[in-house]
Structures are given as structure tokens and as C-alpha cells.
Amino acid sequence: MPSAAGYAAQSATTPLAPFSFERREPGPHDVLIDILYCGVCHSDLHTARGEWEGVMFPSVPGHEVIGRVSRTGAHVTRFKEGDMVGVGCMVDSCQRCDACHDGLEQYCENGFTGTYNGPEQGTGANTYGGYSDKITVREEFVLRLPDGLDPAAAAPLLCAGITTYSPLRHWKVGPGQKVGVVGLGGLGHMGVKLAHAMGARVVLFTTSPDKAEDAKRLGADEVVISRDPEAMAARKNSLDFILNTVAAPHDLDAYLALLKRDGAMVLVGAPASPHPSPAVFNLIMKRRQIAGSLIGGIPETQEMLDFCARHGIVSDIEIIPIQQINDAYERMLKGDVKYRFVIDMASLKDAA
Ligand code: NAP
Ligand code: ZN
């Protein structure tokens, strides 16, 4: 079996540290990938620190993977050795249920298998993610990296990109609409770029005044400091749609009040503890909606990558060696990342 090197958290209270393990020998439908880059998602931090229920340790996070195919199983048809590919948040699903048939594997009725934290189909075993030098993945869950996208800056598209693209598409965001994006982190900055590329007018809500200029460069038409009550009040009843990416519990009413009649706020941020319950009157008086959305299916992830290639969209990244991952988590918690850390996996060969 291919032996792999990576970084793992051994428990919720231990920092990530070097970890050796074995990958599955590629079966007839599997692809073995040499990992070149892996983005650092806030979900990695929630998981490595045991903030969500059901975390399996040791935990090797990482689900924004870009790499090169090093070997393919005998029945693999879509990839060959040397291809540049991506792997996102899923590596398997039941492939039989209605959701899987609809290409919505993230909503697999029997539970998808995460790139990390499993559970593996059938066995329920843990899976190890992209903070490592190689990974074996069944062909159906491997994405093609379109030509023209920088591989390091494309890595975050595999989670931050698809998680924002999917709800923008599902709620049919486009020209003539005013769209709010809440939080300018990894997801938020992709949401701004994608909503702008889809033709919407974008209003970015941030707690960090120093991000205002960047937000405009990234595609926001307006920037609102969400801690400024007057600026918030001035936007009441003005937005068609809000994409809320905030990773911490907060007052949802402040944003619901900004939606027009029939407007929707979609929550993609997944804080460890619940938001305070919103006021029902804020919803019923204007038939407003609150919804949630989970990453995106495999066909839509490929569609998103192709959309990004057509529009020249990648993530704004800061490349780090894997030895800096624990510091990067601390900086992410302070909102001090512009706007996604990406691990250069060549650094795994350096001394710990
Ligand atoms: P991130 O880079 O840390 O960005 C989160 C942003 O939220 C911060 O940059 C900050 O933006 C804002 N924020 C943080 N704490 C806040 C607070 N207390 N009050 C107000 N704003 C705050 O995180 P990310 O990687 O984008 O992930 C965001 C969330 O989405 C995480 O919970 C993650 O687990 C979740 N997620 C969900 C899915 C899904 O499928 N639904 C997929 C991936 C990730 P400002 O400085 O601009 O205020
Ligand atoms: Zn993620």
C-alpha cells in the first residue's frame, strides 16, 4: 500500500504534527494522486479541534486538494498519469439514492464519505484528508483542473468556491439583483467574486473595516461595516439574497431585516454552537426565508471550475509551509488571512 506522510491532530486538544499512515492501494476504479497544494478551510479547524460532534481522531484535515495523477486503476477512463486534478470535500457516497442520482452527492441519503473524518462506505472507518503527500480517490470524485487556472490559487475552489457557487446558482442570483455577502474570509471572498461574475450588484458586510478596500477590488460594489447600526439601518429592505459565511454565532435578525419581500438568506457558515433564534416577525412580515446549503455535488463542482476558468477566477491566497499550520489556524481565528491559506505540500519534505 502507498505509504503517506501528513499532518494530523491526535486529539481535540493537541496541535497538528507530522503523521505517517498508509493509503489504500488503488483499485480498478481508483486514482492515486500526488498532492501539490491543499487549502486551509475553517472546517479543518472546527474538525481538528473537535468543535463539531462526531470527530474521529487522528484527524488529517484538508479538503481543497490539487495534485497530479500518479497512477490509475485498470478501469479508470477519465484520467491518466500526469493529469492535474482536484479533490474537494467528498471522496465517496452510496451512488444509489435519489440524491446521488441527481448529482447531489453531498445530500446522499446514506451519508457521503468526507475527504477527512469519513465515514467510509460500509465500514464507517475514518478517512485522512489533504494535509498529506498523496491520496487514493475513486474516479467519480476526482475533478478535472481546467487549463489556465493557477494550481495553488485554484485549490480553495474545491470547497470555498463550490460552497458559495452552489447557493448562488440554486437561488438564481444574477443581473438586476442586489446580493449581500456576510464575512470576508475564505468563503466570503469567493462569494464576492462569484456573485460579481454572475452579474449581481454585491454588498459586502464585514466586521473588519481594514478589509473594505480589498472587498471592492474583489468585486464588491458597496461595503458595509456590520458593527455600524446606521449603515445597517440604511440598507433595510434592499437585498434580494444574502450569503452568510460567518463562522461564529451571531444575530441573524440584523441581516434578515435587510432582505426585500421574498428575499432569502442562506447560511453556509457552520459555527460550533447555534445562532440566537431569529425573530419570527422579521420573517413573516415580508415572507422572508432562511435556508442552508452544503458544499455542492460533483457535476456542479466541475461546472464551477469551468466557470472560474472562463472568468479567470481563483482564490486570493497566502502560501504557507505545512510547519506553519498551527499558526495559520490562530491567524484564521483572528480574521488575519487574505483570504485563504494554501499549504505547499513540497514543504512536507522539510524538517518538522
Ligand atoms: P474564515 O476564512 O475564517 O472566514 C469567516 C469570516 O467570518 C471571517 O473572516 C470574518 O469576516 C467573519 N467572522 C468571523 N467571526 C465573526 C464573528 N464573531 N462575527 C462576525 N463575523 C465573523 O472561514 P471560512 O473558511 O470562510 O468558513 C466559514 C464558515 O463556513 C465556517 O464555519 C466553515 O466551517 C463553514 N463552511 C461551511 C461549508 C458548507 O458546506 N456549508 C463549507 C465550508 C465551510 P470579516 O472579518 O469580514 O467580518
Ligand atoms: Zn471547507
Side-chain angles (χ1 to χ4, degrees):
M1 288 203 286
S3 54
Y7 263 54
Q10 295 294 334
S11 78
T13 53
T14 46
L16 276 80
F19 177 62
S20 299
F21 57 99
E22 287 186 332
R23 290 296 188 187
R24 171 173 91 240
E25 191 64 36
H29 299 280
D30 284 337
V31 173
L32 183 65
I33 299 164
D34 283 336
I35 299 176
L36 300 173
Y37 299 102
C38 185
V40 178
C41 178
H42 208 113
S43 303
D44 301 353
L45 187 160
H46 289 307
T47 303
R49 298 192 173 178
E51 292 178 5
W52 290 338
E53 269 180 41
V55 176
M56 290 188 262
F57 289 97
S59 173
V60 178
H63 57 205
E64 295 183 339
V65 173
I66 292 286
R68 196 181 289 282
V69 174
S70 62
R71 215 186 323 155
T72 55
H75 298 310
V76 169
T77 56
R78 294 168 47 235
F79 301 100
K80 58 180 191 318
E81 198 185 321
D83 284 353
M84 289 293 288
V85 293
V87 179
C89 302
M90 301 180 284
V91 289
D92 207 354
S93 69
C94 83
Q95 303 279 295
R96 296 184 310 272
C97 72
D98 288 350
C100 288
H101 283 154
D102 288 346
L104 296 168
E105 301 88 348
Q106 75 275 35
Y107 304 119
C108 173
E109 286 153 31
N110 299 298
F112 70 85
T113 301
T115 304
Y116 57 82
N117 208 43
E120 241 171 40
Q121 302 292 310
T123 69
N126 201 359
T127 51
Y128 295 140
Y131 295 6
S132 58
D133 60 354
K134 55 178 79 73
I135 189 167
T136 309
V137 183
R138 63 183 288 180
E139 174 181 28
E140 294 91 332
F141 286 80
V142 178
L143 287 308
R144 190 177 37 76
L145 182 69
D147 290 340
L149 289 182
D150 175 72
L157 301 180
L158 276 310
C159 174
I162 185 60
T163 300
T164 49
Y165 182 90
S166 184
L168 291 170
R169 278 290 189 236
H170 185 77
W171 274 269
K172 300 186 169 55
V173 162
Q177 291 185 344
K178 211 168 177 183
V179 168
V181 175
V182 188
L184 196 67
L187 267 56
H189 93 291
M190 290 312 310
V192 169
K193 290 186 185 206
L194 291 167
H196 175 77
M198 289 173 191
R201 188 170 172 83
V202 180
V203 187
L204 185 272
F205 295 87
T206 180
T207 59
S208 311
D210 60 309
K211 293 181 183 171
E213 253 177 59
D214 273 347
K216 291 205 167 150
R217 175 178 57 79
L218 297 168
D221 298 283
E222 295 171 46
V223 179
V224 177
I225 308 304
S226 53
R227 295 197 166 122
D228 175 351
E230 275 177 33
M232 293 293 280
R235 265 83 186 179
K236 273 196 174 157
N237 305 324
S238 70
L239 301 173
D240 298 281
F241 180 81
I242 298 176
L243 185 66
N244 187 331
T245 74
V246 174
H250 61 280
D251 172 22
L252 299 180
D253 284 317
Y255 296 103
L256 286 172
L258 310 187
L259 288 170
K260 289 181 189 166
R261 171 173 53 80
D262 289 326
M265 173 157 74
V266 173
L267 306 177
V268 290
S273 48
H275 299 294
S277 176
V280 173
F281 273 90
N282 246 338
L283 297 168
I284 62 181
M285 296 308 281
K286 290 203 179 289
R287 201 162 55 185
R288 295 172 173 130
Q289 306 164 44
I290 301 183
S293 183
L294 177 66
I295 47 176
I298 296 296
E300 193 172 47
T301 305
Q302 190 64 60
E303 177 191 309
M304 176 275 311
L305 288 171
D306 296 340
F307 177 93
C308 287
R310 277 201 311 282
H311 291 265
I313 294 176
V314 283
S315 173
D316 281 32
I317 60 168
E318 178 177 339
I319 294 186
I320 57 164
I322 198 159
Q323 291 79 5
Q324 283 177 18
I325 187 62
N326 295 300
D327 292 338
Y329 279 4
E330 290 309 314
R331 286 183 54 195
M332 184 157 63
L333 281 173
K334 287 188 269 181
D336 175 24
V337 43
K338 292 188 172 168
Y339 280 90
R340 197 61 139 184
F341 293 116
V342 171
I343 302 166
D344 179 354
M345 223 45 76
S347 63
L348 258 178
K349 296 190 183 74
D350 301 339

